[in-house]
Amino acid sequence: FPHAPLNKDSLHKTLEAIRFDKTLREIILSGGDPLILRDEILFDLIDKLASMPHVKRIRIHTRIPTVLPSRITESFINKIRGHQSEIVIVTHINHPNELDVETDNVLRRLRETGLALLNQTVLLKAVNDKTTTLVELSEKLFNQGVLPYYLHLSDKVEGTQHLCVTTDMARQLFRDMLKELPGYLVPRLVVEEPGMSSKTLIV
């Protein structure tokens, strides 16, 4: 879904475009955060997408499990558990300190519904740009039932240059992680490039 305000007209147009494009297999709900929507609105949207036979998966990108875990209510869990579509949740967790007993409980409850849990991490200078930090994050994610998915270079946005990690440093961190972790706990190193339909893998 586009990074634009949600209104009935744009939502209708987007849903119609998805309905008529039979090549679409997975739909991503992201940016802001889809879980700030009320359950009725969110699951109405998921129901509409799930009614399209060519849509096989719905992926939700969110930071809610760490920044507002109380949002994951029993009602929300029951709606996820009772849903027929294949739902994937991608958490955005950047540091092991974000994972605690409360997130463990929330992520466990989500995992018990049968959905897949993945994580995307943004590399941030002086925040998580150390091998020990990234290794600890992957281990803690796995212990809480989340598979590391993407290690993402930060987007080049004005005012955030002080947080950017260079590509060379990112490659070195990735190589060091390969030495410390089993392959399934090493996230893909990627960057988002303007105009590309998907993230670009850095090798």
Side-chain angles (χ1 to χ4, degrees):
F1 270 52
H3 296 247
L6 187 68
N7 60 63
K8 288 183 179 180
D9 185 53
S10 64
L11 178 59
H12 176 75
K13 288 178 179 177
T14 301
L15 287 170
E16 285 305 293
I18 294 170
R19 189 182 309 280
F20 286 106
D21 188 344
K22 307 300 184 187
T23 66
L24 298 175
R25 297 288 181 267
E26 181 175 80
I27 304 302
I28 300 172
L29 307 181
S30 128
D33 195 310
L35 294 194
I36 66 170
L37 297 171
R38 297 195 311 274
D39 281 0
E40 311 86 76
I41 296 174
L42 177 62
F43 283 96
D44 179 64
L45 175 57
I46 291 173
D47 288 342
K48 286 182 169 68
L49 291 168
S51 71
M52 305 177 196
H54 58 287
V55 174
K56 304 303 182 187
R57 282 177 305 280
I58 298 165
R59 194 194 323 168
I60 300 171
H61 282 241
T62 182
R63 277 188 57 77
I64 288 295
T66 52
V67 300
L68 189 62
S70 61
R71 163 65 182 92
I72 310 299
T73 62
E74 201 60 40
S75 173
F76 178 86
I77 292 292
N78 289 335
K79 286 183 172 69
I80 286 280
R81 182 181 289 112
H83 213 278
Q84 298 303 308
S85 58
E86 185 177 347
I87 297 174
V88 177
I89 288 186
V90 180
T91 58
H92 291 205
I93 300 169
N94 298 322
H95 196 281
N97 288 350
E98 295 182 81
L99 293 163
D100 56 20
V101 173
E102 195 170 13
T103 62
D104 188 27
N105 178 55
V106 166
L107 294 170
R108 176 184 54 77
R109 290 164 68 212
L110 285 170
R111 193 169 65 250
E112 287 172 352
T113 68
L115 56 71
L117 283 170
L118 307 173
N119 184 67
Q120 174 174 295
T121 293
V122 178
L123 268 176
L124 300 169
K125 189 174 182 180
V127 175
N128 61 4
D129 58 342
K130 295 185 183 303
T131 305
T132 52
T133 302
L134 294 171
V135 167
E136 182 184 357
L137 175 59
S138 281
E139 294 279 14
K140 288 186 77 170
L141 284 167
F142 189 68
N143 288 342
Q144 295 196 10
V146 183
L147 196 63
Y149 175 46
Y150 277 151
L151 181 60
H152 202 305
L153 266 69
S154 56
D155 297 336
K156 292 181 172 58
V157 179
E158 187 175 351
T160 63
Q161 293 88 342
H162 63 291
L163 292 172
C164 291
V165 173
T166 67
T167 302
D168 285 345
M169 183 176 183
R171 284 196 180 102
Q172 185 59 56
L173 287 166
F174 181 77
R175 286 193 292 267
D176 291 343
M177 289 178 75
L178 285 170
K179 297 174 186 175
E180 298 288 334
L181 291 165
Y184 60 88
L185 290 189
V186 181
R188 298 171 180 86
L189 181 61
V190 297
V191 64
E192 191 154 357
E193 296 181 328
M196 299 298 288
S197 61
S198 61
K199 293 178 173 61
T200 300
L201 193 64
I202 299 173
V203 293

